[in-house]
Amino acid sequence: MPPLAEEALAEAFTGLVVESLAVKQDFGAAAVGCRTCGAELGAGDPVTVALSCYEDHSWEIEGVYCATHPVGAVADAMAVRAETQALVDATLAAGSYRPPKGAVESDALVLEDVSVRDYSPTADGY
């Protein structure tokens, strides 16, 4: 996957399932916890989401933050690394998800109404 221009990030993240190596959602309850306070977040909740693009190949969610604990910049959410990173504002929405080695999770959370709050291109990490 070629690196995305900052302008294309909101579209790329719309519909992204809120699940990664760093963030696990409770599919049964359709909920995910705020990285700062642990509050349970569900469909309709506004969030700030930190993401990084591993080797310009796969976007991974690094953290989800509730409206009470928003993060202002990539550097506030994670170390700036030599990879493309972004911080976005979004709303959690009900969706479905098929994990690579599993059955469809019909009560998954996905991102909608995405807007970019901050962006750190790979070069910023050097």
Side-chain angles (χ1 to χ4, degrees), residues 88-111:
V88 301
D89 294 317
T91 302
L92 296 176
S96 63
Y97 169 61
R98 180 185 297 276
K101 294 183 177 181
V104 172
E105 298 288 352
S106 58
D107 293 322
L109 294 171
V110 298
L111 302 179

Side-chain angles (χ1 to χ4, degrees), residues 13-81:
F13 299 142
T14 298
L16 182 67
V17 68
V18 183
E19 177 76 1
S20 68
L21 294 174
V23 173
K24 301 295 180 196
Q25 67 170 284
D26 179 344
F27 289 114
V32 65
C34 171
R35 185 173 189 182
T36 301
C37 70
E40 192 171 276
L41 305 166
D45 287 332
V47 293
T48 303
V49 181
L51 304 108
S52 62
C53 190
Y54 178 71
E55 295 184 352
D56 288 331
H57 175 70
S58 173
W59 282 100
E60 298 290 324
I61 295 177
E62 298 283 337
V64 177
Y65 302 87
C66 69
T68 304
H69 298 102
V71 179
V74 167
D76 296 334
M78 58 192 143
V80 174
R81 301 182 295 265

